[in-house]
Amino acid sequence: MSTDWLDQLTGDWTYEGDSIPSDPARARTGTETVTRRGAWVIIESDDEVRFQLSFNKETGRVTGDFISWEYAGLWVYDGAPDGQRLALASRGPRMDGKPGETDYEDIWEIVSAEERITTGRFRNDAGEWQDFNVTRYRRKA
């Protein structure tokens, strides 16, 4: 890929997110600003999370990290764009309360210049991917 896939993300967005299965207590809405700073795209939302992602044109891969002000860990991401989708892999603490870590994947999909969707999933005990949230983003006018 000769251009930076992440450039599609720059701008101001609104979002609506929900858990899978749907739980009104875990639904969230807000705004997000995506800016370019040199080789990096910085994604900051009003719910106190931040992504920093960079596209390497030589390898065709995206690397970066994610932090949440509510969590003391750093999530490191790696993935490659495939057309309108980017699958970012990471590893982090299990969400079911059991000790240890598991694999995670965030699937970023460009629906159009005005809309994108991110689906979060984890690898369950059977080794299968299980979706746990979906967030829809719409570009602000």
Side-chain angles (χ1 to χ4, degrees), residues 10-77:
T10 60
D12 295 318
W13 301 82
T14 60
Y15 64 83
E16 297 177 0
D18 198 4
S19 61
I20 299 171
S22 182
D23 177 357
R26 297 183 64 200
R28 54 192 225 294
T29 62
T31 60
E32 178 180 271
T33 299
V34 183
T35 56
R36 166 72 62 184
R37 294 187 188 151
W40 292 87
V41 168
I42 310 300
I43 303 169
E44 296 178 286
S45 69
D46 61 358
D47 66 353
E48 302 184 339
V49 299
R50 178 178 176 151
F51 276 94
Q52 303 176 129
L53 301 172
S54 182
F55 179 73
N56 183 324
K57 292 180 184 179
E58 291 179 18
T59 65
R61 299 196 67 78
V62 172
T63 59
D65 59 43
F66 166 82
I67 59 173
S68 170
W69 302 166
E70 296 178 7
Y71 172 67
L74 177 69
W75 296 67
V76 178
Y77 283 88

Side-chain angles (χ1 to χ4, degrees), residues 41-136:
V41 168
I42 310 300
I43 303 169
E44 296 178 286
S45 69
D46 61 358
D47 66 353
E48 302 184 339
V49 299
R50 178 178 176 151
F51 276 94
Q52 303 176 129
L53 301 172
S54 182
F55 179 73
N56 183 324
K57 292 180 184 179
E58 291 179 18
T59 65
R61 299 196 67 78
V62 172
T63 59
D65 59 43
F66 166 82
I67 59 173
S68 170
W69 302 166
E70 296 178 7
Y71 172 67
L74 177 69
W75 296 67
V76 178
Y77 283 88
D78 178 69
D82 179 14
Q84 294 301 102
R85 291 171 40 119
L86 169 64
L88 288 173
S90 188
R91 188 149 179 88
R94 295 173 59 120
M95 292 188 298
D96 59 8
K98 295 178 183 176
E101 294 185 334
T102 192
D103 295 323
Y104 289 89
E105 191 172 53
D106 288 340
I107 309 295
W108 300 41
E109 181 180 0
I110 304 297
V111 176
S112 72
E114 306 302 317
E115 182 181 2
R116 69 184 213 269
I117 299 170
T118 301
T119 303
R121 60 190 194 165
F122 68 95
R123 194 174 305 276
N124 63 25
D125 288 338
E128 299 169 344
W129 287 109
Q130 182 175 334
D131 294 353
F132 67 89
N133 72 25
V134 64
T135 304
R136 276 194 189 276

